[in-house]
């Protein structure tokens, strides 16, 4: 079947297995970076490859001329989380186009929504504008990164640390997980990411006195750790509304004909349907125990026990999070960080917000647009270290009954073809306005 370039590019990227297992470099991050560099080179844009360790390859390119205005960063990652093929209806790296249960054709495969869809939108628009002699309204720095799915430490973080000069003059940026539509009472609402929670991946360790399992032992490392994990898992963090979420809830309240208050925040979030699973996590801090390890034999009390906890904390409330966590752990529990990344929140105003909003509404005039706080993390955390004002803006117009947020890292990940084409049109309009 004939397909547009944005679909072709996305399908080709999906077919490059860039699974990131969190340790050794995956099978295809360098191949994907070289592929992207080739697509840019075809239209006269040269890229710099950066590989801090073999196989973990990112690239940076500069597009357009200096116009006297600050430059814009547009970034996307090329790695994906692994996929167990036996769980899928299709080969997750075949890039199949087939019918979607929600109507129309979709492109299926790992990375279809996280985030080779946006990579493809960006590349197709850049290539089309280059061929047509339509440079962006301001100079654009393009960054395609490795290792985002493991925290970006060998991807965006190393770009920022090793090649900061590539981002000189950049004041604003856009990336993933924003600009997608949800449907509330029959009306589409596009969510632009304007904030991210901080990420604290923590290892808890307790130590005690080793001994025989048949004897009394009041210094049991496993018991001490289990009690701490139980307290953390059971803790109910209170609703705390950041400025971004106050704006979002006000927009939702307007759609449903009420007023937003802290007391009805959770009921307003329920209006998002399945997406409430993700958006609801932005009303409060979240701590989820995820791993436990201790001992080597049933009748031996071990000296040490460990647990891992995935903590996500709200911007502006870091001290509250860590002080409460220390109390929940109690005495005799050491906390170390596997990864500790700060949250960020960007004021939702200015010309770039106007450009994002108007580009969306030009394609979908009856819709509404509002900011939201992202519950997980993206490479934006690293680029904000350079003082870049960042947003998540990967526009997609989606079916009302599609559980889009459930597709992130999920089975049978897919993106509607018309959503890809919609996103490319919106991004093209945005580049004229920004």
């Amino acid at each position: 079947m004939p397909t547009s370039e944005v679909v072709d590019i996305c399908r080709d990227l999906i077919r490059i297995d860039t699974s990131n297992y969190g340790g050794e470099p995956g099978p295809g991050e360098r191949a994907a970076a070289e592929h992207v560099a080739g697509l840019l080179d075809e239209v006269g844009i040269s890229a710099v490859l950066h590989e801090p360790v073999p196989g973990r390859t990112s690239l940076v390119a500069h597009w357009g001329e200096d116009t006297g205005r600050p430059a814009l960063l547009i970034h996307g990652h090329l790695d994906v989380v692994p996929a167990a093929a036996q769980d899928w209806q299709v080969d997750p790296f075949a890039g199949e186009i087939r019918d979607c249960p929600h109507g129309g054709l979709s492109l299926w495969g790992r990375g279809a929504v996280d985030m080779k869809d946006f990579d493809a939108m960006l590349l197709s628009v850049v290539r089309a504008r280059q061929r047509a002699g339509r440079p962006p309204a301001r100079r654009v720095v393009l960054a395609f990164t490795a290792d985002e799915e493991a925290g970006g430490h060998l991807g965006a973080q190393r770009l920022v640390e090793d090649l900061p000069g590539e981002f000189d003059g950049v004041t604003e940026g856009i990336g993933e997980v924003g600009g997608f539509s949800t449907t509330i009472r029959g009306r589409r609402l596009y969510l632009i990411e304007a904030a991210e929670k901080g990420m604290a991946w923590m290892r808890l360790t307790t130590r005690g006195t080793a001994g025989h399992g048949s004897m009394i032992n009041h210094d049991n490392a496993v018991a001490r750790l289990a009690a701490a994990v139980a307290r953390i898992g059971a803790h109910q963090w209170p609703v705390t509304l950041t400025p971004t979420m106050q704006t979002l809830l006000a927009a939702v309240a307007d759609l449903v004909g009420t007023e937003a208050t802290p007391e009805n925040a959770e009921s307003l979030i329920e209006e998002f349907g399945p997406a409430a699973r993700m958006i609801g996590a932005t009303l409060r801090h979240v701590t989820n125990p995820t791993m436990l390890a201790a001992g080597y034999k049933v009748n031996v009390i071990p000296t040490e026990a460990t647990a891992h906890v995935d903590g996500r904390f709200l911007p502006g409330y870091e001290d509250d999070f860590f002080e409460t966590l220390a109390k929940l752990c109690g005495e005799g529990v050491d906390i170390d960080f596997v990864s500790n990344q700060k949250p960020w929140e960007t004021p939702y105003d200015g010309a770039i917000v106007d450009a994002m909003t108007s580009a969306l509404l030009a394609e979908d005039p009856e819709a509404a647009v509002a900011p939201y706080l992202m519950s997980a993390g993206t490479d934006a955390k690293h680029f904000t270290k350079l003082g870049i004002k960042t947003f998540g803006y990967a526009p997609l117009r989606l079916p009302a009954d599609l559980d889009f947020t459930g597709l992130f890292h999920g089975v049978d990940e897919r993106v509607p073809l018309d959503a890809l084409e919609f996103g490319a049109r919106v991004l093209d309009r945005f580049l004229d306005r920004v």
Side-chain angles (χ1 to χ4, degrees):
M1 79 183 65
T3 54
S4 60
E5 184 170 59
V6 64
V7 173
D8 291 339
I9 292 174
C10 191
R11 182 170 53 190
D12 289 343
L13 287 172
I14 287 171
R15 288 172 174 171
I16 303 173
D17 181 355
T18 54
S19 297
N20 186 339
Y21 296 92
E24 293 297 317
E29 285 172 285
R30 182 173 181 88
E34 290 175 342
H35 179 72
V36 170
L39 291 173
L40 294 173
D41 184 66
E42 285 178 4
V43 292
I45 300 173
S46 60
V48 174
L49 297 182
H50 184 57
E51 192 174 78
V53 301
R56 292 269 189 243
T57 313
S58 302
L59 69 122
V60 181
H62 296 262
W63 176 40
E65 302 296 330
D66 283 316
T67 61
R69 300 177 57 201
L72 173 74
L73 169 67
I74 307 181
H75 63 95
H77 65 86
L78 296 170
D79 63 323
V80 298
V81 295
Q86 65 271 18
D87 296 334
W88 288 55
Q89 297 181 50
V90 301
D91 180 340
F93 298 105
E96 284 194 31
I97 294 174
R98 57 160 60 186
D99 289 334
C100 182
H102 307 276
L105 293 174
S106 289
L107 175 60
W108 297 57
R110 177 59 85 215
V113 301
D114 188 13
M115 63 166 295
K116 292 178 177 178
D117 56 345
F118 181 64
D119 295 333
M121 290 179 217
L122 176 57
L123 288 164
S124 68
V125 170
V126 169
R127 283 163 58 85
R129 292 178 71 106
Q130 276 290 96
R131 294 190 190 104
R134 296 173 56 223
R138 59 202 279 199
R139 181 171 64 88
V140 174
V141 178
L142 305 171
F144 294 88
T145 61
D147 201 43
E148 191 274 346
E149 296 293 2
H153 302 296
L154 295 173
Q157 179 176 327
R158 291 298 296 268
L159 286 180
V160 165
E161 292 174 352
D162 299 346
L163 303 176
E166 296 289 341
F167 306 96
D168 284 349
V170 175
T171 58
E172 297 170 317
I174 62 171
E176 67 172 326
V177 202
F180 61 92
S181 71
T182 62
T183 301
I184 294 179
R185 302 200 180 185
R187 188 173 176 191
R188 276 189 292 274
L189 172 65
Y190 289 90
L191 302 178
I192 294 175
E193 183 196 20
E196 281 183 12
K197 286 177 127 181
M199 182 176 75
W201 289 349
M202 297 166 285
R203 180 175 52 249
L204 311 183
T205 304
T206 56
R207 294 174 179 84
T209 302
H212 200 290
S214 67
M215 300 181 185
I216 294 172
N217 187 322
H218 297 297
D219 189 28
N220 187 313
V222 176
R224 186 176 299 117
L225 180 72
V229 168
R231 288 191 295 270
I232 292 169
H235 183 67
Q236 295 295 311
W237 295 94
V239 170
T240 304
L241 300 181
T242 66
T244 296
M245 291 303 291
Q246 290 173 12
T247 303
L248 172 62
L249 292 174
V252 176
D254 184 62
L255 291 176
V256 302
T258 186
E259 293 186 3
T261 67
E263 290 72 30
N264 70 358
E266 290 182 291
S267 64
L268 289 174
I269 291 296
E270 291 175 2
E271 295 285 344
F272 287 100
R277 180 175 52 247
M278 179 180 79
I279 299 171
T282 63
L283 296 178
R284 49 170 56 87
H285 303 307
V286 171
T287 42
N288 279 312
T290 56
M291 298 167 63
L292 291 168
Y296 53 90
K297 196 170 186 292
V298 68
N299 63 342
V300 178
I301 300 170
T303 302
E304 183 176 286
T306 62
H308 286 74
V309 175
D310 187 340
R312 310 291 174 132
F313 50 98
L314 297 168
Y317 297 90
E318 296 93 322
D319 291 346
D320 167 70
F321 175 79
F322 288 109
E323 288 171 4
T324 302
L325 183 72
K327 293 176 182 176
L328 291 171
C329 285
E331 295 293 328
V333 181
D334 295 329
I335 304 174
D336 299 306
F337 293 102
V338 177
S339 182
N340 186 9
Q341 299 188 33
K342 293 182 178 180
W344 59 268
E345 188 161 25
T346 299
Y348 188 68
D349 55 28
I352 189 170
V353 171
D354 293 341
M356 290 187 290
T357 301
S358 64
L360 279 166
L361 296 181
E363 290 289 333
D364 195 353
E366 301 304 317
V369 182
Y372 85 108
L373 167 63
M374 173 67 173
S375 63
T378 73
D379 278 337
K381 280 190 172 64
H382 300 296
F383 293 118
T384 57
K385 297 171 188 174
L386 297 175
I388 298 172
K389 182 179 178 180
T390 60
F391 295 93
Y393 188 67
L396 293 169
R397 183 173 58 201
L398 300 166
D401 57 347
L402 176 65
D403 182 9
F404 179 67
T405 60
L407 297 177
F408 283 81
H409 298 189
V411 172
D412 293 333
E413 186 179 349
R414 58 195 180 274
V415 62
L417 300 193
D418 59 3
L420 279 174
E421 291 161 354
F422 170 88
R425 294 195 304 271
V426 171
L427 189 57
D428 185 52
R429 290 181 183 275
F430 167 75
L431 288 168
D432 283 333
R433 289 164 163 78
V434 74

